[in-house]
Amino acid sequence: RRLCRVPGHVRGHRERFKIRTARNAVATVIQRTLRGRGERARLQRRHKAIAVVQAWWRCYAARRHWRRCVGAVRTIQGATYHWHHRRKVRAMKLLYEQCSSAASSQVPRMQHEKTKDGALRVSRLYRGHHARRLLQRREATAKRLQDLARIFLAQRKLRRRLVAVLRI
């Protein structure tokens, strides 16, 4: 390049252009930083809002599923109850027919009473046996709980004594 004298207004223009370019670069960096910060904040708010909506939807879906499950359980329990009830009624009808046919065939009344008394006695004995077994289980459970409580209290007392001895 050839050296030549550059007029002052041109030199001033070149200097102002350099300063303007530098200022523009600085302004661009500041704007980019601020826009990025604003965009990240907006994105974070959006994520929070999405999380709230998703939580609400999951709760709604869970409640709807729970209602369906409860309805299904009720249906199954009702069907089971009706099935057992029909079975019991069928057995009672069969027993009634047998009893009426026995009475119609002039089976002695005493034998019918004995059968009835025998059934009552078996039922009574079973209920008594079951109640005694249940009482024995409850007593054993209570005894075990008392044993555990005594052990716990003895261990706590021992710990307190050891702490008192260690303090001395």
Side-chain angles (χ1 to χ4, degrees):
R1 286 176 63 177
R2 215 174 96 186
L3 289 177
C4 63
R5 184 162 190 260
V6 178
H9 71 280
V10 174
R11 276 195 316 261
H13 174 68
R14 286 180 182 171
E15 289 300 318
R16 285 191 301 277
F17 184 74
K18 285 180 194 175
I19 292 170
R20 191 177 346 141
T21 305
R23 284 182 184 164
N24 283 349
V26 170
T28 304
V29 169
I30 292 171
Q31 287 173 353
R32 186 173 49 216
T33 305
L34 289 176
R35 284 181 187 144
R37 187 180 300 160
E39 193 63 25
R40 282 189 294 278
R42 189 182 69 79
L43 194 59
Q44 194 173 17
R45 284 194 305 269
R46 188 173 181 185
H47 281 300
K48 285 181 182 178
I50 288 171
V52 168
V53 170
Q54 286 175 345
W56 176 84
W57 180 254
R58 281 194 301 270
C59 179
Y60 171 75
R63 269 189 262 127
R64 191 174 58 191
H65 178 69
W66 174 252
R67 278 192 229 115
R68 285 182 186 162
C69 288
V70 167
V73 166
R74 284 183 182 158
T75 303
I76 291 169
Q77 286 176 344
T80 306
Y81 171 79
H82 288 301
W83 181 79
H84 282 292
H85 182 70
R86 273 183 273 143
R87 190 171 135 192
K88 193 182 290 185
V89 167
R90 196 177 309 126
M92 288 171 66
K93 282 183 179 177
L94 182 63
L95 179 66
Y96 175 75
E97 288 171 6
Q98 288 172 352
C99 289
S100 57
S101 68
S104 66
S105 64
Q106 298 180 359
V107 174
R109 181 79 179 154
M110 194 63 174
Q111 185 173 355
H112 177 68
E113 289 295 323
K114 282 183 184 178
T115 307
K116 188 176 171 184
D117 289 341
L120 288 173
R121 184 173 182 203
V122 168
S123 176
R124 189 176 65 235
L125 290 174
Y126 174 76
R127 283 197 308 267
H129 171 71
H130 183 70
R132 283 189 298 278
R133 231 176 56 204
L134 184 64
L135 186 61
Q136 285 173 349
R137 282 185 190 159
R138 286 184 179 166
E139 286 175 352
T141 304
K143 185 179 179 297
R144 181 68 183 146
L145 286 174
Q146 288 171 355
D147 290 343
L148 290 174
R150 284 191 202 106
I151 290 170
F152 172 76
L153 291 173
Q155 287 176 349
R156 188 171 69 180
K157 192 174 185 180
L158 178 66
R159 268 190 251 117
R160 286 183 180 169
R161 285 185 182 172
L162 286 175
V163 168
V165 168
L166 291 176
R167 284 186 188 160
I168 297 175

